[in-house]
Amino acid sequence: MAYAYDDQNIFAKILRGEIPNDTVFESDHALAFRDISPAAPTHVLVIPKGPYVSMDHFTQEASEAEIVGFMRAIGEVCRLEGVSEDGFRAISNAGRNGVQEVPHLHVHIIGGRPLGRMLAKAE
């Protein structure tokens, strides 16, 4: 599958410094910032700095350094936000059925309170 990256998406604009953000962590390969509409006391978005649409796009085309750097950034955000001990949710939506709102890979780190079930049980 060919992935078409839209360089006018909001996260691309954040990466270029066109839109401000509340940065939590930054490395060579990732940027993490607070969600502007948090779903829990901790709600941080972690994005790769490269032009990747979704997790499958990223894992197929990113370099090993990008993959390692991105995954380590997720771990560092969890440590910095103090959610590792009590638990958190890491969510990455992809495509229409996954309800992806921004076409740039992003992982939501959500925690700081009991989160309930992720999805209703299938019937």
Side-chain angles (χ1 to χ4, degrees), residues 39-60:
T42 296
H43 191 162
V44 176
L45 301 174
V46 185
I47 64 173
K49 289 188 172 177
Y52 301 104
V53 175
S54 59
M55 187 65 76
D56 56 318
H57 182 205
F58 180 71
T59 57
Q60 290 174 39

Side-chain angles (χ1 to χ4, degrees), residues 11-88:
F11 294 161
K13 291 178 180 182
I14 287 171
L15 286 169
R16 290 192 300 265
E18 296 170 12
I19 297 174
N21 72 89
D22 184 2
T23 299
V24 171
F25 176 80
E26 185 170 7
S27 69
D28 290 343
H29 299 292
L31 175 67
F33 51 92
R34 298 198 187 287
D35 193 294
I36 61 170
S37 184
T42 296
H43 191 162
V44 176
L45 301 174
V46 185
I47 64 173
K49 289 188 172 177
Y52 301 104
V53 175
S54 59
M55 187 65 76
D56 56 318
H57 182 205
F58 180 71
T59 57
Q60 290 174 39
E61 297 187 13
S63 69
E64 288 185 32
E66 288 175 301
I67 293 169
V68 170
F70 182 68
M71 297 307 290
R72 291 232 168 109
I74 291 170
E76 183 63 9
V77 167
C78 292
R79 185 189 72 74
L80 290 169
E81 292 296 303
V83 296
S84 295
E85 187 173 320
D86 289 334
F88 62 94

Side-chain angles (χ1 to χ4, degrees), residues 94-105:
R96 184 181 69 247
N97 285 348
V99 194
Q100 183 178 7
E101 294 179 4
V102 178
H104 184 110
L105 170 60

